[in-house]
Amino acid sequence: MASSRGLLYIASGEEFFEEAVTSARSAWHVMPNVNITIVTDQTDMPDCFDDLILMENPTYDYLDKIRYMRDSPYERTLFVDSDTYFSESVEELFEILDTFHLAASHAPARSTGDI
């Protein structure tokens, strides 16, 4: 295992891959020591990623995220959506994973009805 902690992107299709590249560059800018891996169907390896895992038979939907999340090379993984932009470090989030096996954040723009 390369590192015990890192960021993981899962991006199928060129559009989401390019989004992930932009996001990873913003992460690298504010957290230069964090490892970053992408799982994708694209073969280009931009310098903002430490590792690229090639998808086999991508479905180009949410199933790709579910299927490949378990392939993280890290003991402590922050899964990052491709449209995330980092303006400051979030390295303290890794500490949550010292206590819990899984932590999640609900998308604040989504609603499930009357709240």
Side-chain angles (χ1 to χ4, degrees):
M1 187 169 290
S3 174
S4 63
R5 358 182 282 179
L7 304 181
L8 179 68
Y9 290 88
I10 301 172
S12 53
E14 187 174 349
E15 177 184 355
F16 291 112
F17 177 77
E18 292 301 326
E19 264 188 3
V21 169
T22 300
S23 177
R25 286 192 172 131
S26 74
W28 182 81
H29 182 72
V30 296
M31 299 178 288
N33 296 319
V34 165
N35 291 297
I36 306 174
T37 294
I38 187 164
V39 180
T40 185
D41 61 330
Q42 306 295 301
T43 57
D44 188 24
M45 175 70 167
D47 59 359
C48 55
F49 297 111
D50 296 296
D51 194 18
L52 182 146
I53 300 171
L54 195 58
M55 285 182 178
E56 294 180 20
N57 305 314
T59 58
Y60 302 100
D61 59 20
Y62 285 105
L63 291 176
D64 287 335
K65 291 181 183 183
I66 294 166
R67 181 177 171 202
Y68 287 100
M69 227 181 259
R70 67 178 180 232
D71 291 340
S72 173
Y74 311 113
E75 290 178 26
R76 306 281 189 272
T77 301
L78 295 181
F79 170 74
V80 182
D81 273 336
S82 63
D83 63 350
T84 303
Y85 183 85
F86 291 89
S87 58
E88 61 184 63
S89 175
V90 296
E91 290 185 75
E92 69 276 4
L93 294 177
F94 287 109
E95 295 172 18
I96 294 171
L97 298 174
D98 291 335
T99 304
F100 301 99
H101 294 290
L102 177 70
S105 174
H106 189 270
R110 295 194 182 176
S111 176
T112 57
D114 295 332
I115 296 178

